[in-house]
Amino acid sequence: MEKMIKKRIDQVKEKGHQRLTVLLIPHGFDKSFHFQISIFTIFFLVGLLFAIVGIAVLGIVKYNNTRIQINALASVYGKYFDEYIEYSEKLGDIRDDFATLNENLQEVHSLIDGESDELLKLPDESDSEDLAATELKLEEAGDKDLMIGRSYLSEIYGYRAVRVSMDKNRPLVDSVFSFLDNRYGIMNSLPFGEPLFSYNLTSYYGMRRSPTFGYMEFHDGVDLANVPGTPVYATGDGRVYRAIYSPRGYGNHIVLAHANGYYSLYGHCTKLLVRDGEYVHKGQLIATLGATGNVTGPHVHYEVWIGESNRTDPMEYMKVGLGQY
């Protein structure tokens, strides 16, 4: 039996190695030429040709199926499909930006002596990805067409993990925001800032020669000169302690009572735009600049008090770096 099989194999090899002569005779008087080729080679070339044709047909079929699935995706994800593709390329940058933002938030949280319990509630990256995957499975269970996206839109699915991380970090953001909002409210309630957008500083706080009487006197505030009618703004949240029209001294003037025993005074105004007892906000227009009372020219006499009698240098409060309103 083995001899018979070996004999058949030898016969096939012998047949396969037989050579055929191919003769090519061109038109005209050119010389003909020929070449030899084995039967095995012919079978190999024919097989290779069929393989190439088969691969090409398979590629065309797969391409058509891919286009059909992508068109289906476009109908599922709507008219913003192209934008999804574009933004998916930026997913890596978004993850990096979020990681940096999260680190900065945690640092700010620690600097403001935030509760450490809030940090312990934050999920790590793997937990966020698991939560995102769970959400997606629930959505896909409700709409089977969405599952097509896993083959083509993996980056877009990655956005879900980032969004989940952002949602889970919300307590940290809220904690930081609450602290800053509270501190911002405190800062707003103090007379920090300038009562005029622009001015010429014509007299400082402290000892000076009286411009009207010529003798030395202590100047309780600063004089900020500008043209009559220039808007005068409250430098902090507070209640109008008094709003007085007077031809002497401070002239028409306003005193605001702020938090923690602070007061601010705005003197020599033309018009007073608030009344006694009224609550005003930082940056609110309260008067217009003028030259009423004991003055030599139009300006606002501005003072800051701690309590009703302790005058302080207003420049220390005007130049605290909080910016204009």
Side-chain angles (χ1 to χ4, degrees), residues 37-238:
I37 186 171
S38 69
I39 293 177
F40 276 157
T41 303
I42 292 175
F43 276 115
F44 172 75
L45 293 175
V46 172
L48 181 62
L49 177 62
F50 275 105
I52 292 173
V53 172
I55 291 172
V57 171
L58 180 62
I60 292 172
V61 171
K62 287 195 69 176
Y63 173 79
N64 288 334
N65 288 337
T66 299
R67 290 308 309 170
I68 291 172
Q69 289 181 321
I70 289 178
N71 290 335
L73 274 178
S75 64
V76 170
Y77 286 92
K79 63 181 180 179
Y80 300 110
F81 178 72
D82 292 336
E83 285 82 352
Y84 288 152
I85 298 296
E86 177 184 349
Y87 292 136
S88 70
E89 298 173 357
K90 302 176 182 177
L91 178 59
D93 293 337
I94 291 175
R95 280 178 171 153
D96 292 341
D97 291 342
F98 173 71
T100 301
L101 175 61
N102 192 43
E103 290 176 3
N104 292 340
L105 275 174
Q106 292 191 31
E107 183 176 354
V108 171
H109 191 265
S110 64
L111 290 174
I112 63 176
D113 296 327
E115 295 293 335
S116 59
D117 291 346
E118 295 296 338
L119 295 179
L120 295 176
K121 295 176 185 176
L122 301 179
D124 57 31
E125 185 175 350
S126 61
D127 291 338
S128 296
E129 291 177 354
D130 291 342
L131 290 168
T134 301
E135 287 186 6
L136 288 170
K137 286 180 181 178
L138 291 174
E139 290 183 10
E140 290 167 354
D143 188 349
K144 298 298 184 183
D145 289 335
L146 292 176
M147 297 187 69
I148 304 174
R150 285 201 177 275
S151 301
Y152 301 96
L153 302 176
S154 58
E155 293 86 355
I156 291 175
Y157 278 68
Y159 271 105
R160 180 59 63 89
V162 176
R163 186 189 66 74
V164 169
S165 295
M166 290 180 177
D167 286 344
K168 297 305 177 184
N169 276 267
R170 191 175 299 279
L172 176 61
V173 176
D174 291 343
S175 175
V176 173
F177 175 80
S178 177
F179 174 87
L180 295 178
D181 184 59
N182 184 40
R183 297 309 185 270
Y184 183 74
I186 293 173
M187 297 296 285
N188 269 354
S189 66
L190 299 177
F192 290 156
E194 301 177 331
L196 304 178
F197 281 143
S198 62
Y199 56 83
N200 290 320
L201 182 59
T202 57
S203 186
Y204 288 90
Y205 173 84
M207 293 299 299
R208 68 166 187 178
R209 187 174 297 279
S210 171
T212 52
F213 302 107
Y215 52 77
M216 296 300 294
E217 67 175 0
F218 191 87
H219 191 229
D220 291 329
V222 292
D223 290 342
L224 312 175
N226 207 319
V227 297
T230 298
V232 178
Y233 302 96
T235 54
D237 296 346

